Amino acid sequence: MSSSTQDRAWNVLDGDGDGGHDAYDRDAYDRDAYDRDAYAHDAYDHGRSPARARRTEEPPPFWRAPFSAHYYREVGYALTGLPVAIAGFVLGVTLFSVGLGTLVTCLGLPVLAALTSTARGFGRLERARVRSLLAVDVPGPAPVRQTRPGLWGGVTARLADVAGWKAVLHQVLMFPWAVFRFSVTLTFLLLGWAMALYPVYHWVFPTFVHWPGYRIVDFHDGADHYAYYVQSPAQIAGFSAIGLVIVFLTAQLVRGLTNVDRAAARGLLGR
């Protein structure tokens, strides 16, 4: 921008008609110009179109999925996401409750502003986890724009931060999903491989437990006792085959579960 053009812009901002330059107006104009340039560069650096979420790695085919690094990164995301979700949910609910409870005092608004800032931090962490473990790059939202100077200007800017409130919503909504995703993933992961590898450790039961094999059924009906063991070669082979089927299906199940997290990150944590 030329010097004369900038002077005219400053005179307009000054508004007193005497041609003087107010320092605060000059700083505000420069800051707004910088923000506009940064946003334009960020929005149009990919073929002059706004940045959108994109997949960085294609999932492997069905027959290779259970043995791929992609699948175990998805499993890692599903299992490690529970403690992150617990921390985000507890902190979010606590700050929201304290903020509402103290809203009649001067402390309520800063606490709610801290809630949106903290949620943005959790959103940044979640986008990094989605990028590294789920192979989806979700561009983050624009930074908070503070239009008023001072502490209360920062508080009001964060209270009006739509991206921050969407991140809060993500923390609340995805907590029960994280519990469900963790439970289902761990259950089917262990079940499938335990059944598939049964021929490897079948010898443990007759040697140490004094069972002829793994006991599936064991119940009493009055004086009668019924028990079913996996012990013959055909039974062992069939048991292991069912386990392999579960292993392959679990890979597709985990992909479906994590697709919900991909969609949530795009819709609530992205631009």
Side-chain angles (χ1 to χ4, degrees), residues 185-222:
T185 299
L186 185 62
T187 299
F188 281 90
L189 177 69
L190 296 180
L191 176 65
W193 283 113
M195 293 178 64
L197 298 176
Y198 177 68
V200 177
Y201 63 90
H202 165 72
W203 60 273
V204 171
F205 295 97
T207 304
F208 296 102
V209 189
H210 304 295
W211 293 351
Y214 177 70
R215 185 164 62 188
I216 297 178
V217 177
D218 181 24
F219 70 94
H220 293 267
D221 183 11

Side-chain angles (χ1 to χ4, degrees), residues 55 57-74 133-135 248 251-252 255 262:
R55 181 181 287 275
E57 179 185 354
E58 291 300 321
F62 176 84
W63 58 270
R64 195 166 58 86
F67 314 104
S68 65
H70 180 91
Y71 165 61
Y72 286 100
R73 285 195 297 270
E74 290 181 327
L133 298 177
L134 299 186
F248 280 92
Q252 306 307 311
R255 184 178 302 173
R262 293 181 176 96

Side-chain angles (χ1 to χ4, degrees), residues 170 174 177 181 255-266:
H170 182 274
M174 297 308 291
W177 175 254
R181 182 192 61 215
R255 184 178 302 173
L257 293 174
T258 53
N259 278 341
V260 175
D261 296 276
R262 293 181 176 96
R266 292 189 188 103

Side-chain angles (χ1 to χ4, degrees), residues 77-96:
Y77 175 89
L79 298 183
T80 60
L82 181 59
V84 176
I86 293 174
F89 180 80
V90 171
L91 187 59
V93 170
T94 301
L95 289 177
F96 185 75

Side-chain angles (χ1 to χ4, degrees), residues 89-108:
F89 180 80
V90 171
L91 187 59
V93 170
T94 301
L95 289 177
F96 185 75
S97 302
V98 173
L100 284 186
T102 57
L103 200 57
V104 295
T105 70
C106 61
L107 296 177

